[in-house]
Amino acid sequence: MVDWTAFLIVLVTSIVSGCLVVALFSLGLRLAAATGRWRRALSVASFAGCALAILYGVYLIIPALHP
Amino acid sequence: MPFYCCLSFIKLEDSSAVDISLMVVLVIALALFFDFTNGFHDTANAMATPIATGALKPRVAVALAAVLNLVGAFLSTEVANTISGGLIREGSGGVQITPVMIFAGLIGAILWNLVTWLLGLPSSSSHALFGGLVGAAIVGAGFGAIDFTVLLSKVVLPALLAPLTAGLVAFLATRIAYAITKKRQRGGFRYGQMFTSSLVSLAHGTNDAQKTMGVITLTLIAGGFQPVGASPELWVIVVCAVAIALGTYTGGWRIIRTLGKGLTEIEPGQGFAAEAATTATILASTHLGFALSTTQVASGSVIGTGIGRKGASVRWRTAGRIGFGWLITLPSSAVVGALASLVARTGLIGIIADAVVAAAIIVWIFLRSRRNLVNANSLQGEPTALVSPKKRKGAKVEG
């Protein structure tokens, strides 16, 4: 029958990862417009976090990368 | 071209094997056409929102999706043991799936995919394929051939859970995006959309082309052209990849319009949130063991983001039509598959009759679609009565 545990894990993972990426990208956009060195650095760090998330997605999609 | 190598190989078979060879050729042709419809049916999942927000121009978007589907098809070529996803009790003690059944099932899947495309409904190509096979199997072996608990747990419930999950993620993500950013910064989300939509396309290529490879390989095995348990031949991988990429490039513009503009007006921030939700849900579901339909996830995300932005409204009538389409996808293609199977069982004449009738219906659908043509141009500056898109001339992304 339906594997509810698996579904719950999928639900929580989707919420956490989806929201995290969007929060990071939004933060990046918000801080990119700001002045001040540490804010700009934080903005770059946020975009870098998004880039890592995208790369992790590519890693997950390509089966050869995770035997 | 390797495909013709195979054809000539089949011709060399002795005359007693002509029937099965003909069947195998027909099934391969139909499977590739199904792969094509699969491609253009699902372009919308990845590309409807970036096209709607202007992150990507329509033709650029479908070209990008086509390339990523092509690449994706080569990345993953492991064939599943069952083509019906366990819906049909295959193998020992169950039904032997014959090439004739696959033939009838594919006709059901293709026709249903084309009907839903004509109506602009995003519906699951996998469900259409399962439905067609289920119909053919019922005709061949009765209702006992179908595992109804699997039907419930793998088709019916996920059809509810997929849009709910993706919708919730998209809703929360949209709220977060709009809480953090200021209004004038939100055009920047378009850059993010390019990446998230690309990921969805790539994931689609790795999943969906594989299904057709599986169908063709299992048919070749059933016809005795490949040993049991063999992996797809190179020519099978190549033609499947090309078919799905061509289908994707053709662009199911009707479905793109429904998903991108018919459900709700999408701003770049929403587009990014919806796609991040789609990507996260699809990747989580495929890697954590709870399979969800990409189409249903993508539709759920769009609805979720429509609820999430203040001032946006969701056209629930359209959403209802889409949901109704999901409910009847499997039974409808099952009925078509069953009818095709009934005719095909009468022998060679029946199979030819099936092919001719299917071709006639396909031609009719294409002619019918020309009456109100939807293409890349009609999506670029869409003046429909349905939607009043926001003017965004000032915030155009270069490229």
Side-chain angles (χ1 to χ4, degrees):
Chain A
M1 267 319 283
V2 181
D3 187 351
W4 289 107
T5 331
F7 171 69
L8 264 180
I9 294 173
V10 168
L11 180 69
V12 172
T13 315
S14 311
I15 291 175
V16 171
S17 55
C19 291
L20 193 69
V21 169
V22 171
L24 275 177
F25 198 88
S26 307
L27 211 63
L29 284 180
R30 172 77 186 248
L31 295 175
T35 47
R37 272 183 66 180
W38 67 270
R39 282 175 188 238
R40 298 300 287 271
L42 210 59
S43 162
V44 171
S46 304
F47 285 129
C50 286
L52 279 180
I54 297 280
L55 286 178
Y56 183 63
V58 173
Y59 162 79
L60 282 180
I61 290 169
I62 301 175
L65 296 179
H66 48 96
Chain B
M1 177 116 184
F3 184 59
Y4 295 115
C5 299
C6 167
L7 287 180
S8 57
F9 165 63
I10 287 167
K11 275 183 199 149
L12 289 172
E13 288 286 303
D14 60 303
S15 59
S16 64
V18 159
D19 241 347
I20 188 77
S21 305
L22 173 76
M23 225 35 245
V24 169
V25 172
L26 270 175
V27 166
I28 291 174
L30 274 182
L32 289 178
F33 190 63
F34 170 76
D35 204 23
F36 178 85
T37 63
N38 192 164
F40 82 63
H41 221 276
D42 293 1
T43 317
N45 295 338
M47 292 306 172
T49 45
I51 290 173
T53 63
L56 292 166
K57 289 207 169 72
R59 286 188 202 286
V60 175
V62 293
L64 178 64
V67 169
L68 289 167
N69 268 283
L70 188 73
V71 172
F74 284 96
L75 292 176
S76 173
T77 54
E78 192 188 316
V79 172
N81 292 322
T82 65
I83 39 176
S84 73
L87 280 183
I88 302 171
R89 297 197 177 94
E90 290 175 49
S92 57
V95 189
Q96 194 65 47
I97 295 200
T98 61
V100 177
M101 274 186 193
I102 301 178
F103 168 80
L106 281 169
I107 288 184
I110 290 171
L111 291 184
W112 184 250
N113 259 357
L114 289 177
V115 168
T116 45
W117 162 73
L118 187 65
L119 297 172
L121 291 179
S123 66
S124 167
S125 302
S126 316
H127 290 183
L129 180 59
F130 293 162
L133 290 169
V134 161
I138 288 175
V139 165
F143 281 93
I146 310 306
D147 195 332
F148 284 97
T149 47
V150 175
L151 186 71
L152 188 69
S153 65
K154 281 201 172 173
V155 177
V156 181
L157 270 170
L160 286 172
L161 297 175
L164 283 178
T165 306
L168 180 63
V169 181
F171 170 82
L172 294 172
T174 308
R175 280 289 159 92
I176 292 172
Y178 278 77
I180 295 178
T181 52
K182 288 179 180 155
K183 193 171 183 193
R184 60 188 161 77
Q185 299 163 338
R186 288 179 195 146
F189 279 117
R190 289 200 183 94
Y191 295 103
Q193 277 191 284
M194 295 175 195
F195 295 100
T196 44
S197 58
S198 298
L199 274 188
V200 177
S201 279
L202 189 65
H204 184 263
T206 53
N207 278 326
D208 282 34
Q210 202 179 346
K211 274 188 303 206
T212 314
M213 288 176 210
V215 169
I216 293 179
T217 303
L218 288 168
T219 310
L220 287 172
I221 291 172
F225 297 103
Q226 265 189 286
V228 174
S231 51
E233 301 265 1
L234 181 65
W235 67 265
V236 175
I237 300 172
V238 172
V239 290
C240 286
V242 169
I244 202 164
L246 277 178
T248 307
Y249 184 69
T250 313
W253 301 111
R254 290 164 188 276
I255 303 173
I256 291 176
R257 181 174 66 172
T258 304
L259 212 52
K261 307 207 169 189
L263 278 171
T264 182
E265 289 109 69
I266 304 174
E267 293 183 349
Q270 288 175 288
F272 181 71
E275 276 155 35
T278 304
T279 315
T281 313
I282 290 169
L283 289 182
S285 80
T286 40
H287 292 275
L288 297 172
F290 195 89
L292 296 173
S293 150
T294 308
T295 308
Q296 293 168 353
V297 166
S299 312
S301 293
V302 171
I303 295 174
T305 198
I307 305 172
R309 175 168 71 89
K310 287 194 182 75
S313 59
V314 175
R315 288 178 198 85
W316 288 106
R317 273 179 67 97
T318 310
R321 277 181 60 200
I322 293 173
F324 182 68
W326 294 347
L327 278 182
I328 62 170
T329 288
L330 200 141
S332 308
S333 50
V335 168
V336 182
L339 287 176
S341 181
L342 271 176
V343 177
R345 276 155 63 91
T346 59
L348 187 64
I349 310 267
I351 290 166
I352 292 171
D354 260 355
V356 170
V357 171
I361 297 175
I362 291 166
V363 168
W364 181 80
I365 290 175
F366 274 111
L367 290 178
R368 183 72 183 69
S369 77
R370 299 192 72 84
R371 267 196 226 165
N372 58 337
L373 200 61
V374 181
N375 57 23
N377 298 332
S378 47
L379 282 168
Q380 216 139 20
E382 175 101 318
T384 49
L386 249 180
V387 200
S388 50
K390 283 202 159 158
K391 292 272 180 284
R392 274 189 294 268
K393 278 182 183 155
K396 213 167 155 263
V397 178
E398 64 263 33

